[in-house]
Amino acid sequence: MDSRESFAERYGRRPLWAAVILLAVSVGAVVLLNRADPEAEPADLQAQIVARMRTTLEQADPGQHNHAGHSAQQGNSTEKPPVICGVRVYGYEPAEATALADVQKVYGFHLCGVAEQKRPWDVAVKLAGPLIMDLSTDPPGIQVVEATADVRFVDRLREMFPAKYATLAQEEALTATEMADQRRRYDAAAGL
């Protein structure tokens, strides 16, 4: 039979274990709530690079990521319409970087629409194509791939991009998720 001492020893620690479990659950809840904060930076490097590219392109003058002489029509308004961009990262250098501050160069794709009021996406001025973003400068440098009178687009792409990223750039643009997010943000910015 159990003596009173063994009963107390066995069950007397329950409140201690309950307190330990309650503390662990509370700490876990705080961590999860802090992670859910929409203002928090993305946790992984790829998401940080995407956010930095998108912000840089949307804050830049459209002429900085302009293609083949096309430019956004500003109309009669002195206020510039917002530029809404979707991006895709093909890769970055150095490839072994583990923090955004260590990334020097990003190879990717961008599709930006100039969100003039009440102008639907289908007729919006768009800027798109593979680009290289130099994150070692402030503000980051933006270099788009363009054909010239003497060099075809695909040849210029191969000159500017490492082979593995050039191949991706010929095959892939935005993901369906990124495109849907961009269209939603565009419609909101254009007042649609």
Side-chain angles (χ1 to χ4, degrees):
M1 283 198 171
D2 288 339
S3 70
R4 288 189 158 211
E5 290 179 44
S6 65
F7 180 82
E9 287 175 2
R10 184 177 297 167
Y11 297 106
R13 295 186 182 159
R14 271 191 172 173
L16 176 63
W17 282 110
V20 168
I21 291 170
L22 184 58
L23 179 63
V25 169
S26 298
V27 168
V30 168
V31 168
L32 288 175
L33 285 174
N34 286 340
R35 278 192 179 176
D37 181 8
E39 299 299 317
E41 282 193 26
D44 66 285
L45 182 57
Q46 184 82 6
Q48 291 177 19
I49 293 170
V50 166
R52 178 73 184 271
M53 284 180 67
R54 185 181 298 129
T55 300
T56 299
L57 290 165
E58 289 180 351
Q59 292 176 351
D61 182 87
Q64 290 178 289
H65 49 105
N66 199 7
H67 297 272
H70 299 290
S71 62
Q73 301 299 319
Q74 300 300 327
N76 297 332
S77 173
T78 58
E79 185 179 321
K80 292 182 180 181
V83 175
I84 307 300
C85 297
V87 299
R88 181 166 191 164
V89 175
Y90 297 135
Y92 51 87
E93 292 176 356
E96 60 277 353
T98 57
L100 184 60
D102 298 332
V103 176
Q104 299 293 309
K105 201 174 276 191
V106 179
Y107 300 92
F109 178 86
H110 78 299
L111 172 59
C112 300
V114 179
E116 296 175 282
Q117 284 299 298
K118 305 299 180 197
R119 181 172 283 216
W121 174 259
D122 293 342
V123 294
V125 173
K126 295 178 191 80
L127 308 164
L131 64 77
I132 300 169
M133 189 169 287
D134 183 355
L135 298 182
S136 67
T137 63
D138 189 25
I142 302 167
Q143 186 179 12
V144 296
V145 176
E146 292 184 292
T148 65
D150 301 323
V151 181
R152 296 179 320 149
F153 174 82
V154 71
D155 294 332
R156 183 72 176 130
L157 175 68
R158 289 181 187 140
E159 287 174 5
M160 294 174 64
F161 275 54
K164 62 184 174 182
Y165 303 141
T167 301
L168 282 172
Q170 292 174 55
E171 299 169 358
E172 300 178 11
L174 297 184
T175 64
T177 303
E178 180 73 6
M179 186 67 200
D181 179 60
Q182 180 192 22
R183 288 291 300 271
R184 180 191 52 74
R185 293 183 309 112
Y186 175 89
D187 288 347
L192 300 173

